[in-house]
Amino acid sequence: MFTQVEKTPAQTEQMSETRLIRYVDALREAFEEEMARDPKVFLFGLDVDDHKGIQGSTIGLQEKFGKDRVFCTPLSEDAMTGVAIGAAIAGYRPIHVHIRMDFMLLCMNQLVNMAAKSHYMYNGQVKVPLVVRTMIGRSWGQGGQHSQALHSMFMHVPGLKVVAPANAHDAKGCMISAIRDNNPVIFIEHRLLYSTEGYVPTKSYEVPLGKARILTEGTDITIVAVSHMVMEALRAKKHLESVGINAEVIDPITLWPLDMETIMQSVKKTGKLLMVDNAWLTCGASSEILTRAMEMCQEEDISIPSLARMGFAPTTCPTTKPLENLFYPDARSIAVKAYQMTQGKKAKTWEPPVSANTEIDAFKGPF
Amino acid sequence: MYDQIITARLYKTMLLIRQIELRIAEIYYTDAIKSPVHLSVGQESIAVGVCDALEKDDIVSNTYRCHATYIAKGGNLFEMMAELYGKATGCAGGKAGSMHLVDIKNGVMGASAVVGTTIPVATGYALAMQNEAKITGKQRVVVALCGDGGTEEGCFYESINFAALRKLPIIFICENNRLAIHTPLEKRWATDQLCERIATFGIKTHKIDDADVFTIRDTMVNALADIRKGSGPIFIECATYRWLEHVGPLDDHKDDYRNTKEYQTWKDNDQILRLGKMLDEKTRIQLEDEVALTLQQIEKFAEESPYPAAEELYTHVYAS
Ligand SMILES: Cc1ncc(C[n+]2csc(CCOP(=O)(O)OP(=O)(O)O)c2C)c(N)n1
């Protein structure tokens, strides 16, 4: 298993006991605890009650909470999203599950025109406390239609919250917060994160939405990374350490609302911001974060930091491995970029060693 | 009764699909194919019965479970195998993998991994074919295949309504294996009356319960004759059974969503076995040898082909 062994600062603050569990099990615990706590919470979507249980994240829930609260649906994502919104407006707290983010494109009308707008448009008369769980795919030929990361589309729309936790601790805490939140929350998971392990408190806890996390402190450069890219950024940090560069790695966790304060505090210290998105760059989370950083510097009348960003290649994701490898940033390319930013253009070239086997290499299909 | 020539042809194509897919399953563990494979083992008679009735310039569209129709429609086998291997010589240069096979020259529209998405696209192709026929005088036909799960998407009904309204030259086919991944039909439909539902749109429907390859082919031949005369769309529901897991190389009948009795019934009804027995032994063995040789050749081609060069990452983002 690929473990994120270092405890995050917030975890050490929390006095409660922790244990090492997988991301996917952390999610399942969140559902189990919240469904036990609040009878209005229900979970539905394609395949949630089959024996594979959404990579294990919903295993046992139907046995425990019954078929009224945990059930599968026909392949009708558009209508099922509307159904979730209707139930939410009526006072329930649905969790609607999709096994790939790509399928949420079928839900866009309901999410954008209804879920995001109802509370405002009806002047507060209704609320839509809805969680939409969705998974970014990668590798083993997931290809063009099973690997998209579309968080920026949702960030664009006022009324939606967007979270993309990158470790087991934040997955559970954010899920609990999302379920308790009175707004539609797009909850973005990543196929390659499911098997990664992290320290998770035994007691229930919330990770507040809208708060970024400094994962490792550093002085030379700020690296902000999203979803699975957080793991790559943490590996990049190790590469950088070997050449004496100290990177501060920040996970925004919530992509909207965005915690720019935490990011800016770090950038003011390091003077350099490298944003690594787990998505395309154009009109993406990276555009937003870098623009906000510039605007905030201008507002405060301080000099603009050195800015750069990395993300998916601007193409459709190809299935064949040699091309797919070029599609994603990785620990080495992130480290090289950060190296260039800190050492200046004239610095001699540096090639970090090839990384040890990771969750990316370990992932095998068939899906 | 069918003559030996047609029987032999149907047998050979079904066998070709079966053997190619079983070979894919056999070598999957080597990781040479790094692509999610949705195999049609057990469902071959639909692809073959359907495509055998088509002309070369007719069109088929399908889902991610697309190997069978690709092969039956005459898609290039070398390019198919190379595509699965992610090679530059693949039908999409390695960019598509198993789920998006395409061969426009041979009338195979690109397959999609998002359930339902190809149904309206095929309908649009049929709209173009209807217009084209006014100029060429020849009515090409589009066949849109989907699974039972595909019929649950709104766009399925929207497409059928539009096709009926415009009398489009399209045959909608549902390969009803009663499963969507692991979820049985009973958990997704309140009634089993799919044909009855579709008929209310004002189109002719046919239900074929036994996957009989001859019945499927006959139904297609008649449907095509009507459509080429302008009858408008036709819907065919074909019952079938998926022998292997939803995605991947394994038999998953140990899992409790499966019914081994049902499996046995369908195995007893295997159209490949049946047609094999209808042929004289000499013919059958000759066909089997031909299939085996093809298999060797396409696998060798896929293995020996190069991977795409790095520049290929950025080709075809936009059309020139
Ligand atoms: C829009 C959409 N929703 C969900 C999925 C996930 N998914 C892939 S295959 C499948 C089952 C489809 O069943 P069916 O249409 O009967 O086809 P079969 O796999 O049996 O050939 C599902 C739910 C998807 N690919 N696309």
Side-chain angles (χ1 to χ4, degrees), chain A residues 47 49-52 72 74-77 103 106 140-142 145-146 313-315 318-320 322-323 326 364 366-367, chain B residues 28 31 33-36 86 94-97 99-100 112-113 115 152-153 181-182 187 247-248 255 257 307 309 313-314:
Chain A
D47 316 321
D49 64 351
D50 74 15
H51 60 288
K52 301 258 171 101
C72 69
L75 281 79
S76 309
E77 288 86 352
F103 309 153
L106 280 80
W140 205 266
Q142 307 278 315
Q145 298 173 332
H146 274 55
T315 75
T319 52
T320 185
L323 295 187
L326 303 171
K364 277 196 184 186
F367 233 147
Chain B
Y28 202 69
D31 297 351
I33 297 171
K34 293 185 184 62
S35 184
K95 288 175 176 169
M99 297 194 290
H100 310 291
S112 167
V115 173
E152 292 156 22
E153 295 289 359
I181 310 188
H182 311 118
K187 286 169 82 173
V247 53
D255 289 336
Y257 82 101
Y307 284 105
L313 182 62
Y314 292 106

Side-chain angles (χ1 to χ4, degrees), chain A residues 46-47 75 77 99 103 106 146, chain B residues 38 43 63-65 113-116 146-151 153 175 177 179-181 188 242 246:
Chain A
L46 289 168
D47 316 321
L75 281 79
E77 288 86 352
I99 57 169
F103 309 153
L106 280 80
H146 274 55
Chain B
H38 300 76
Q43 303 191 188
T63 69
Y64 47 84
R65 198 178 303 287
V114 183
V115 173
C146 69
D148 41 292
T151 71
E153 295 289 359
E175 294 191 51
N177 61 17
L179 285 174
I181 310 188
R188 297 179 285 120
R242 191 187 82 217
H246 168 70

Side-chain angles (χ1 to χ4, degrees), chain A residues 178-213:
Chain A
I179 292 169
R180 295 177 186 177
D181 199 284
N182 283 329
N183 297 283
V185 179
I186 311 299
F187 194 97
I188 301 165
E189 303 159 20
H190 194 294
R191 181 73 178 81
L192 295 187
L193 290 174
Y194 284 146
S195 61
T196 63
E197 294 181 322
Y199 287 99
V200 173
T202 40
K203 287 213 194 89
S204 177
Y205 62 100
E206 289 185 39
V207 168
L209 305 187
K211 187 83 193 84
R213 185 185 302 295

